[in-house]
Amino acid sequence: MDGKKVILSGIQPSGALTLGSYIGAIKNWVELSEEYECYYCIVDLHAITVRQDPATLRRNTLTQLAQYIAAGLDPNKNVLFVQSHVPAHTQLAWALNCFTMFGELGRMTQFKEKSVKNPENINAGLFTYPVLMAADILVYQADLVPVGDDQKQHLEITRDIAQRFNAAHGDTFKIPEPFIPKIGARIMDLQEPENKMSKSEISAGRVCVGDRPEDIMRAFKRAVTDSGSEIRFDPEAKPGISNLMQIYAVCANKTLAEVESEFSGSGYGAFKTAVGEAVVETLRPIREESERLLGDRAYLEKICADGAARAARTADKTVRRVYKKLGFVAV
Ligand code: TYM
């Protein structure tokens, strides 16, 4: 794939794909996919750090693949694959575990939050989660990682691990940069605009890519707004309206200033309806096409197999290189 810069990113199939992940990640994946050599995966190995029902996980994985394609990721131009199909991720993760410090993993916000939410299952996988994520990225020698704001800390530790390995064994890994969108990097729950819209918590303020139009409209009409009546971008003073403005700006392809002037003088009710309609129209083709694709399981399985083979070709090279540098005997 012709000297292009490399992108890697992934989403956990631990629940339905949310509007947050669509705006924070997938939309940018599609936009970047022309310019870069792209590896986009479904990170099922990461998902099992929290207990999953196997049948649901399997269904979510295939649904997510169908949604990637339906959102505009052409499987011929991008390498679309399932993480557990490419053993190089875990092979590299073990080696990187030995270059990652206990203390730095203990400082990870996501680990701390998930430990509070799942006190009965603070497993070692949850703790070493960022190392597997570093392996996902470094095994492809990725230049750029398009993610939402909440993954910033994981990108920082990835860079630290790569630098530590390079310092010990010579230049081995490219140091990746995060790509975090200016608008929509942190979409908030429509009912609790102080909290991130989350995949794992079912809430009336969560909108998913596969939701029906009437459910999307209901969620937006009921969205919590702020006191006052002005449509103005001010995340501190007006978290609810500012969140809706970001969603509208991305879905209607406008700047925040354009959104402000378009709705100056209109009430919150009319604005919420307009945001809901823009989201419905953005998600409708994705939902319809992904439902069609899900009817053709053989096609999706073929995409998985092709994607895994293409991903492994790149990833295996890195593992061989790393294992050699570490002093493992080659066969
Ligand atoms: P995950 O599965 O929680 O989320 C997937 C992507 O969606 C973004 N995102 C959001 N963006 C804006 N607003 C929101 N409310 C919102 N919710 C989610 C996330 O920032 C992310 O980009 N650890 C990762 C998965 C992962 C990964 C990787 C990502 C594993 N290996 C390698 C990039 C590269 C995660 O849990 O994302």
Side-chain angles (χ1 to χ4, degrees), residues 248-290:
Y248 185 78
V250 171
C251 292
N253 205 12
K254 297 199 167 145
T255 64
L256 292 170
E258 284 167 344
V259 181
E260 265 181 22
S261 67
E262 183 177 345
F263 292 96
S264 87
S266 33
Y268 283 171
F271 178 53
K272 290 200 281 187
T273 302
V275 183
E277 282 166 356
V279 171
V280 164
E281 292 320 316
T282 301
L283 298 184
R284 186 195 303 280
I286 304 177
R287 180 174 54 88
E288 288 175 358
E289 176 63 1
S290 63

Side-chain angles (χ1 to χ4, degrees), residues 52-282:
Q52 302 293 329
D53 168 58
T56 310
L57 183 63
R58 204 168 284 127
R59 194 175 55 244
N60 285 344
T61 301
L62 284 178
T63 303
Q64 201 167 298
L65 175 66
Q67 288 171 331
Y68 282 6
I69 301 169
L73 295 172
D74 179 345
N76 294 315
K77 291 193 188 147
N78 302 279
V79 183
L80 306 183
F81 67 102
V82 177
Q83 186 188 28
S84 66
H85 294 167
V86 184
H89 291 237
T90 43
Q91 291 168 335
L92 181 62
W94 178 258
L96 297 182
N97 266 313
C98 304
F99 289 80
T100 308
M101 299 301 136
F102 188 86
E104 60 188 343
L105 289 176
R107 285 194 292 276
M108 291 288 116
T109 313
Q110 189 166 305
F111 171 68
K112 291 193 238 169
E113 283 173 4
K114 287 197 174 170
S115 307
V116 172
K117 277 189 202 150
N118 305 285
E120 74 301 336
N121 185 23
I122 307 177
N123 61 71
L126 195 61
F127 189 65
T128 59
Y129 179 113
V131 185
L132 179 59
M133 177 157 164
D136 298 339
I137 297 167
L138 300 177
V139 86
Y140 298 97
Q141 303 287 359
D143 295 276
L144 203 64
V145 184
V147 284
D149 183 51
D150 60 342
Q151 298 302 314
K152 214 191 253 171
Q153 199 185 25
H154 286 157
L155 258 296
E156 280 159 17
I157 196 173
T158 299
R159 292 165 58 90
D160 291 344
I161 296 168
Q163 272 154 353
R164 196 171 294 137
F165 190 98
N166 286 353
H169 292 288
D171 216 10
T172 309
F173 295 118
K174 217 176 253 174
I175 310 298
E177 296 285 341
F179 177 96
I180 297 174
K182 287 201 180 67
I183 304 179
R186 195 174 185 81
I187 297 298
M188 310 310 264
D189 186 282
L190 303 183
Q191 286 298 314
E192 297 164 22
E194 58 291 345
N195 293 331
K196 194 186 75 165
M197 186 182 283
S198 151
K199 173 167 40 199
S200 48
E201 274 143 73
I202 296 175
S203 137
R206 185 185 80 162
V207 171
C208 294
V209 170
D211 283 353
R212 293 177 309 173
E214 54 272 34
D215 295 331
I216 297 175
M217 287 310 295
R218 188 174 327 110
F220 278 96
K221 284 186 177 159
R222 289 184 185 168
V224 166
T225 45
D226 318 290
S227 56
S229 59
E230 221 186 335
I231 297 179
R232 177 169 53 83
F233 190 69
D234 182 347
E236 293 284 306
K238 292 170 134 331
I241 287 296
S242 301
N243 188 40
L244 293 173
M245 285 180 71
Q246 295 198 54
I247 294 171
Y248 185 78
V250 171
C251 292
N253 205 12
K254 297 199 167 145
T255 64
L256 292 170
E258 284 167 344
V259 181
E260 265 181 22
S261 67
E262 183 177 345
F263 292 96
S264 87
S266 33
Y268 283 171
F271 178 53
K272 290 200 281 187
T273 302
V275 183
E277 282 166 356
V279 171
V280 164
E281 292 320 316
T282 301

